[in-house]
PDB file of all heavy atoms in Angstrom:
ATOM      1  N   MET A  60       1.402 -13.900   0.295  1.00 93.00           N
ATOM      2  CA  MET A  60       0.626 -13.051   1.239  1.00 93.00           C
ATOM      3  C   MET A  60       0.506 -13.625   2.613  1.00 93.00           C
ATOM      4  O   MET A  60       0.689 -12.977   3.611  1.00 93.00           O
ATOM      5  CB  MET A  60      -0.765 -12.728   0.641  1.00 93.00           C
ATOM      6  CG  MET A  60      -0.668 -11.834  -0.564  1.00 93.00           C
ATOM      7  SD  MET A  60      -2.254 -11.611  -1.362  1.00 93.00           S
ATOM      8  CE  MET A  60      -3.008 -10.494  -0.168  1.00 93.00           C
ATOM      9  N   THR A  61       0.192 -14.886   2.697  1.00 93.00           N
ATOM     10  CA  THR A  61       0.035 -15.572   4.027  1.00 93.00           C
ATOM     11  C   THR A  61       1.332 -15.567   4.757  1.00 93.00           C
ATOM     12  O   THR A  61       1.415 -15.251   5.943  1.00 93.00           O
ATOM     13  CB  THR A  61      -0.547 -16.975   3.849  1.00 93.00           C
ATOM     14  OG1 THR A  61      -1.810 -16.906   3.196  1.00 93.00           O
ATOM     15  CG2 THR A  61      -0.721 -17.632   5.195  1.00 93.00           C
ATOM     16  N   ALA A  62       2.413 -15.963   4.059  1.00 94.00           N
ATOM     17  CA  ALA A  62       3.726 -15.998   4.703  1.00 94.00           C
ATOM     18  C   ALA A  62       4.167 -14.642   5.169  1.00 94.00           C
ATOM     19  O   ALA A  62       4.759 -14.490   6.209  1.00 94.00           O
ATOM     20  CB  ALA A  62       4.732 -16.636   3.696  1.00 94.00           C
ATOM     21  N   GLU A  63       3.851 -13.599   4.345  1.00 95.00           N
ATOM     22  CA  GLU A  63       4.255 -12.224   4.749  1.00 95.00           C
ATOM     23  C   GLU A  63       3.543 -11.806   5.977  1.00 95.00           C
ATOM     24  O   GLU A  63       4.121 -11.233   6.839  1.00 95.00           O
ATOM     25  CB  GLU A  63       3.962 -11.272   3.551  1.00 95.00           C
ATOM     26  CG  GLU A  63       4.926 -11.430   2.424  1.00 95.00           C
ATOM     27  CD  GLU A  63       4.463 -10.750   1.159  1.00 95.00           C
ATOM     28  OE1 GLU A  63       3.310 -10.323   0.997  1.00 95.00           O
ATOM     29  OE2 GLU A  63       5.346 -10.565   0.262  1.00 95.00           O
ATOM     30  N   ARG A  64       2.228 -12.105   6.051  1.00 95.00           N
ATOM     31  CA  ARG A  64       1.472 -11.717   7.265  1.00 95.00           C
ATOM     32  C   ARG A  64       2.037 -12.433   8.506  1.00 95.00           C
ATOM     33  O   ARG A  64       2.176 -11.845   9.566  1.00 95.00           O
ATOM     34  CB  ARG A  64      -0.005 -12.037   7.089  1.00 95.00           C
ATOM     35  CG  ARG A  64      -0.694 -11.038   6.226  1.00 95.00           C
ATOM     36  CD  ARG A  64      -2.204 -11.236   6.236  1.00 95.00           C
ATOM     37  NE  ARG A  64      -2.865 -10.298   5.394  1.00 95.00           N
ATOM     38  CZ  ARG A  64      -3.191 -10.536   4.167  1.00 95.00           C
ATOM     39  NH1 ARG A  64      -2.986 -11.722   3.631  1.00 95.00           N
ATOM     40  NH2 ARG A  64      -3.783  -9.568   3.409  1.00 95.00           N
ATOM     41  N   TYR A  65       2.327 -13.666   8.343  1.00 94.00           N
ATOM     42  CA  TYR A  65       2.924 -14.445   9.469  1.00 94.00           C
ATOM     43  C   TYR A  65       4.285 -13.856   9.842  1.00 94.00           C
ATOM     44  O   TYR A  65       4.589 -13.677  11.061  1.00 94.00           O
ATOM     45  CB  TYR A  65       3.018 -15.931   9.099  1.00 94.00           C
ATOM     46  CG  TYR A  65       3.634 -16.780  10.170  1.00 94.00           C
ATOM     47  CD1 TYR A  65       2.907 -16.987  11.341  1.00 94.00           C
ATOM     48  CD2 TYR A  65       4.904 -17.263  10.088  1.00 94.00           C
ATOM     49  CE1 TYR A  65       3.472 -17.762  12.382  1.00 94.00           C
ATOM     50  CE2 TYR A  65       5.484 -18.045  11.105  1.00 94.00           C
ATOM     51  CZ  TYR A  65       4.735 -18.266  12.230  1.00 94.00           C
ATOM     52  OH  TYR A  65       5.288 -19.006  13.262  1.00 94.00           O
ATOM     53  N   PHE A  66       5.096 -13.585   8.875  1.00 96.00           N
ATOM     54  CA  PHE A  66       6.417 -12.992   9.120  1.00 96.00           C
ATOM     55  C   PHE A  66       6.271 -11.688   9.871  1.00 96.00           C
ATOM     56  O   PHE A  66       7.000 -11.406  10.851  1.00 96.00           O
ATOM     57  CB  PHE A  66       7.146 -12.783   7.834  1.00 96.00           C
ATOM     58  CG  PHE A  66       8.425 -11.986   7.884  1.00 96.00           C
ATOM     59  CD1 PHE A  66       9.557 -12.470   8.494  1.00 96.00           C
ATOM     60  CD2 PHE A  66       8.455 -10.685   7.353  1.00 96.00           C
ATOM     61  CE1 PHE A  66      10.699 -11.721   8.599  1.00 96.00           C
ATOM     62  CE2 PHE A  66       9.633  -9.942   7.418  1.00 96.00           C
ATOM     63  CZ  PHE A  66      10.756 -10.473   8.053  1.00 96.00           C
ATOM     64  N   LEU A  67       5.388 -10.797   9.435  1.00 96.00           N
ATOM     65  CA  LEU A  67       5.191  -9.500  10.079  1.00 96.00           C
ATOM     66  C   LEU A  67       4.634  -9.675  11.481  1.00 96.00           C
ATOM     67  O   LEU A  67       4.989  -8.907  12.390  1.00 96.00           O
ATOM     68  CB  LEU A  67       4.290  -8.665   9.221  1.00 96.00           C
ATOM     69  CG  LEU A  67       4.905  -8.239   7.853  1.00 96.00           C
ATOM     70  CD1 LEU A  67       3.823  -7.630   6.932  1.00 96.00           C
ATOM     71  CD2 LEU A  67       6.095  -7.334   8.048  1.00 96.00           C
ATOM     72  N   SER A  68       3.830 -10.670  11.717  1.00 95.00           N
ATOM     73  CA  SER A  68       3.340 -10.883  13.136  1.00 95.00           C
ATOM     74  C   SER A  68       4.482 -11.360  14.015  1.00 95.00           C
ATOM     75  O   SER A  68       4.531 -11.008  15.203  1.00 95.00           O
ATOM     76  CB  SER A  68       2.167 -11.861  13.119  1.00 95.00           C
ATOM     77  OG  SER A  68       2.582 -13.178  12.797  1.00 95.00           O
ATOM     78  N   ARG A  69       5.380 -12.163  13.458  1.00 94.00           N
ATOM     79  CA  ARG A  69       6.570 -12.593  14.247  1.00 94.00           C
ATOM     80  C   ARG A  69       7.472 -11.395  14.563  1.00 94.00           C
ATOM     81  O   ARG A  69       8.257 -11.469  15.490  1.00 94.00           O
ATOM     82  CB  ARG A  69       7.315 -13.659  13.474  1.00 94.00           C
ATOM     83  CG  ARG A  69       6.675 -14.995  13.515  1.00 94.00           C
ATOM     84  CD  ARG A  69       7.572 -16.159  13.020  1.00 94.00           C
ATOM     85  NE  ARG A  69       8.759 -15.713  12.311  1.00 94.00           N
ATOM     86  CZ  ARG A  69       9.146 -16.155  11.101  1.00 94.00           C
ATOM     87  NH1 ARG A  69       8.427 -17.029  10.468  1.00 94.00           N
ATOM     88  NH2 ARG A  69      10.217 -15.716  10.553  1.00 94.00           N
ATOM     89  N   LYS A  70       7.421 -10.360  13.794  1.00 95.00           N
ATOM     90  CA  LYS A  70       8.189  -9.147  14.029  1.00 95.00           C
ATOM     91  C   LYS A  70       7.466  -8.218  15.005  1.00 95.00           C
ATOM     92  O   LYS A  70       7.852  -7.074  15.188  1.00 95.00           O
ATOM     93  CB  LYS A  70       8.523  -8.383  12.759  1.00 95.00           C
ATOM     94  CG  LYS A  70       9.453  -9.174  11.834  1.00 95.00           C
ATOM     95  CD  LYS A  70       9.841  -8.386  10.644  1.00 95.00           C
ATOM     96  CE  LYS A  70      10.654  -7.162  10.892  1.00 95.00           C
ATOM     97  NZ  LYS A  70      11.926  -7.358  11.624  1.00 95.00           N
ATOM     98  N   ASN A  71       6.401  -8.723  15.640  1.00 94.00           N
ATOM     99  CA  ASN A  71       5.591  -7.972  16.605  1.00 94.00           C
ATOM    100  C   ASN A  71       4.924  -6.739  16.006  1.00 94.00           C
ATOM    101  O   ASN A  71       4.744  -5.766  16.708  1.00 94.00           O
ATOM    102  CB  ASN A  71       6.414  -7.622  17.846  1.00 94.00           C
ATOM    103  CG  ASN A  71       6.868  -8.806  18.618  1.00 94.00           C
ATOM    104  OD1 ASN A  71       6.084  -9.725  18.760  1.00 94.00           O
ATOM    105  ND2 ASN A  71       8.083  -8.783  19.110  1.00 94.00           N
ATOM    106  N   LEU A  72       4.546  -6.850  14.787  1.00 93.00           N
ATOM    107  CA  LEU A  72       3.792  -5.708  14.164  1.00 93.00           C
ATOM    108  C   LEU A  72       2.312  -5.924  14.323  1.00 93.00           C
ATOM    109  O   LEU A  72       1.582  -4.955  14.337  1.00 93.00           O
ATOM    110  CB  LEU A  72       4.188  -5.576  12.671  1.00 93.00           C
ATOM    111  CG  LEU A  72       5.625  -5.087  12.463  1.00 93.00           C
ATOM    112  CD1 LEU A  72       5.911  -5.039  10.988  1.00 93.00           C
ATOM    113  CD2 LEU A  72       5.831  -3.727  13.100  1.00 93.00           C
ATOM    114  N   TRP A  73       1.843  -7.143  14.394  1.00 86.00           N
ATOM    115  CA  TRP A  73       0.405  -7.495  14.637  1.00 86.00           C
ATOM    116  C   TRP A  73      -0.569  -6.572  13.987  1.00 86.00           C
ATOM    117  O   TRP A  73      -1.485  -6.009  14.614  1.00 86.00           O
ATOM    118  CB  TRP A  73       0.181  -7.479  16.164  1.00 86.00           C
ATOM    119  CG  TRP A  73       1.061  -8.416  16.875  1.00 86.00           C
ATOM    120  CD1 TRP A  73       2.133  -8.132  17.647  1.00 86.00           C
ATOM    121  CD2 TRP A  73       0.996  -9.861  16.875  1.00 86.00           C
ATOM    122  NE1 TRP A  73       2.728  -9.245  18.147  1.00 86.00           N
ATOM    123  CE2 TRP A  73       2.048 -10.339  17.652  1.00 86.00           C
ATOM    124  CE3 TRP A  73       0.151 -10.783  16.235  1.00 86.00           C
ATOM    125  CZ2 TRP A  73       2.270 -11.732  17.859  1.00 86.00           C
ATOM    126  CZ3 TRP A  73       0.408 -12.116  16.429  1.00 86.00           C
ATOM    127  CH2 TRP A  73       1.425 -12.557  17.247  1.00 86.00           C
ATOM    128  N   GLY A  74      -0.405  -6.355  12.708  1.00 85.00           N
ATOM    129  CA  GLY A  74      -1.367  -5.537  11.950  1.00 85.00           C
ATOM    130  C   GLY A  74      -1.152  -4.027  12.151  1.00 85.00           C
ATOM    131  O   GLY A  74      -1.935  -3.207  11.649  1.00 85.00           O
ATOM    132  N   GLU A  75      -0.115  -3.616  12.851  1.00 94.00           N
ATOM    133  CA  GLU A  75       0.110  -2.205  13.095  1.00 94.00           C
ATOM    134  C   GLU A  75       1.073  -1.649  12.011  1.00 94.00           C
ATOM    135  O   GLU A  75       2.149  -1.159  12.288  1.00 94.00           O
ATOM    136  CB  GLU A  75       0.696  -1.945  14.459  1.00 94.00           C
ATOM    137  CG  GLU A  75      -0.350  -2.309  15.528  1.00 94.00           C
ATOM    138  CD  GLU A  75       0.212  -1.972  16.908  1.00 94.00           C
ATOM    139  OE1 GLU A  75       0.602  -0.799  17.156  1.00 94.00           O
ATOM    140  OE2 GLU A  75       0.307  -2.897  17.749  1.00 94.00           O
ATOM    141  N   TYR A  76       0.635  -1.801  10.735  1.00 97.00           N
ATOM    142  CA  TYR A  76       1.441  -1.337   9.650  1.00 97.00           C
ATOM    143  C   TYR A  76       0.530  -0.939   8.458  1.00 97.00           C
ATOM    144  O   TYR A  76      -0.591  -1.469   8.353  1.00 97.00           O
ATOM    145  CB  TYR A  76       2.489  -2.399   9.189  1.00 97.00           C
ATOM    146  CG  TYR A  76       1.871  -3.749   8.980  1.00 97.00           C
ATOM    147  CD1 TYR A  76       1.356  -4.090   7.706  1.00 97.00           C
ATOM    148  CD2 TYR A  76       1.922  -4.706   9.966  1.00 97.00           C
ATOM    149  CE1 TYR A  76       0.780  -5.352   7.549  1.00 97.00           C
ATOM    150  CE2 TYR A  76       1.388  -5.986   9.754  1.00 97.00           C
ATOM    151  CZ  TYR A  76       0.835  -6.287   8.563  1.00 97.00           C
ATOM    152  OH  TYR A  76       0.320  -7.522   8.329  1.00 97.00           O
ATOM    153  N   ASP A  77       1.013  -0.089   7.671  1.00 97.00           N
ATOM    154  CA  ASP A  77       0.364   0.237   6.394  1.00 97.00           C
ATOM    155  C   ASP A  77       0.998  -0.690   5.379  1.00 97.00           C
ATOM    156  O   ASP A  77       2.183  -1.005   5.460  1.00 97.00           O
ATOM    157  CB  ASP A  77       0.599   1.698   5.970  1.00 97.00           C
ATOM    158  CG  ASP A  77      -0.101   2.675   6.922  1.00 97.00           C
ATOM    159  OD1 ASP A  77      -1.140   2.308   7.481  1.00 97.00           O
ATOM    160  OD2 ASP A  77       0.393   3.787   7.072  1.00 97.00           O
ATOM    161  N   TRP A  78       0.181  -1.148   4.425  1.00 97.00           N
ATOM    162  CA  TRP A  78       0.718  -2.107   3.418  1.00 97.00           C
ATOM    163  C   TRP A  78       0.497  -1.608   2.027  1.00 97.00           C
ATOM    164  O   TRP A  78      -0.654  -1.247   1.658  1.00 97.00           O
ATOM    165  CB  TRP A  78       0.041  -3.441   3.617  1.00 97.00           C
ATOM    166  CG  TRP A  78       0.773  -4.606   3.026  1.00 97.00           C
ATOM    167  CD1 TRP A  78       1.629  -4.593   1.982  1.00 97.00           C
ATOM    168  CD2 TRP A  78       0.741  -5.944   3.508  1.00 97.00           C
ATOM    169  NE1 TRP A  78       2.130  -5.859   1.760  1.00 97.00           N
ATOM    170  CE2 TRP A  78       1.596  -6.703   2.688  1.00 97.00           C
ATOM    171  CE3 TRP A  78       0.061  -6.592   4.523  1.00 97.00           C
ATOM    172  CZ2 TRP A  78       1.747  -8.081   2.844  1.00 97.00           C
ATOM    173  CZ3 TRP A  78       0.258  -7.917   4.674  1.00 97.00           C
ATOM    174  CH2 TRP A  78       1.091  -8.656   3.854  1.00 97.00           C
ATOM    175  N   THR A  79       1.536  -1.626   1.234  1.00 97.00           N
ATOM    176  CA  THR A  79       1.460  -1.274  -0.184  1.00 97.00           C
ATOM    177  C   THR A  79       2.023  -2.424  -0.971  1.00 97.00           C
ATOM    178  O   THR A  79       3.053  -2.978  -0.566  1.00 97.00           O
ATOM    179  CB  THR A  79       2.253   0.019  -0.478  1.00 97.00           C
ATOM    180  OG1 THR A  79       1.691   1.095   0.267  1.00 97.00           O
ATOM    181  CG2 THR A  79       2.219   0.398  -1.924  1.00 97.00           C
ATOM    182  N   ALA A  80       1.391  -2.764  -2.043  1.00 97.00           N
ATOM    183  CA  ALA A  80       1.913  -3.839  -2.898  1.00 97.00           C
ATOM    184  C   ALA A  80       2.046  -3.320  -4.330  1.00 97.00           C
ATOM    185  O   ALA A  80       1.128  -2.743  -4.897  1.00 97.00           O
ATOM    186  CB  ALA A  80       0.949  -5.030  -2.863  1.00 97.00           C
ATOM    187  N   LEU A  81       3.266  -3.508  -4.856  1.00 97.00           N
ATOM    188  CA  LEU A  81       3.529  -3.118  -6.256  1.00 97.00           C
ATOM    189  C   LEU A  81       4.363  -4.261  -6.858  1.00 97.00           C
ATOM    190  O   LEU A  81       5.213  -4.776  -6.220  1.00 97.00           O
ATOM    191  CB  LEU A  81       4.344  -1.812  -6.302  1.00 97.00           C
ATOM    192  CG  LEU A  81       3.624  -0.541  -5.879  1.00 97.00           C
ATOM    193  CD1 LEU A  81       4.595   0.594  -5.667  1.00 97.00           C
ATOM    194  CD2 LEU A  81       2.552  -0.178  -6.884  1.00 97.00           C
ATOM    195  N   ALA A  82       4.059  -4.542  -8.121  1.00 96.00           N
ATOM    196  CA  ALA A  82       4.825  -5.612  -8.807  1.00 96.00           C
ATOM    197  C   ALA A  82       6.290  -5.358  -8.731  1.00 96.00           C
ATOM    198  O   ALA A  82       6.715  -4.294  -9.078  1.00 96.00           O
ATOM    199  CB  ALA A  82       4.347  -5.730 -10.245  1.00 96.00           C
ATOM    200  N   GLY A  83       7.049  -6.313  -8.198  1.00 96.00           N
ATOM    201  CA  GLY A  83       8.491  -6.222  -8.113  1.00 96.00           C
ATOM    202  C   GLY A  83       9.002  -5.546  -6.868  1.00 96.00           C
ATOM    203  O   GLY A  83      10.204  -5.555  -6.626  1.00 96.00           O
ATOM    204  N   ALA A  84       8.163  -4.954  -6.062  1.00 97.00           N
ATOM    205  CA  ALA A  84       8.538  -4.276  -4.800  1.00 97.00           C
ATOM    206  C   ALA A  84       9.701  -3.350  -5.007  1.00 97.00           C
ATOM    207  O   ALA A  84       9.512  -2.188  -5.390  1.00 97.00           O
ATOM    208  CB  ALA A  84       8.735  -5.278  -3.724  1.00 97.00           C
ATOM    209  N   SER A  85      10.947  -3.821  -4.716  1.00 97.00           N
ATOM    210  CA  SER A  85      12.089  -2.874  -4.783  1.00 97.00           C
ATOM    211  C   SER A  85      12.305  -2.380  -6.256  1.00 97.00           C
ATOM    212  O   SER A  85      12.735  -1.273  -6.464  1.00 97.00           O
ATOM    213  CB  SER A  85      13.371  -3.573  -4.291  1.00 97.00           C
ATOM    214  OG  SER A  85      13.729  -4.644  -5.124  1.00 97.00           O
TER     215      SER A  85
END
Side-chain angles (χ1 to χ4, degrees):
M60 292 176 72
T61 302
E63 287 167 344
R64 283 190 181 96
Y65 180 70
F66 170 71
L67 294 169
S68 71
R69 285 191 347 231
K70 292 185 67 56
N71 294 320
L72 292 176
W73 302 106
E75 294 183 57
Y76 51 84
D77 293 331
W78 200 332
T79 298
L81 293 167
S85 67

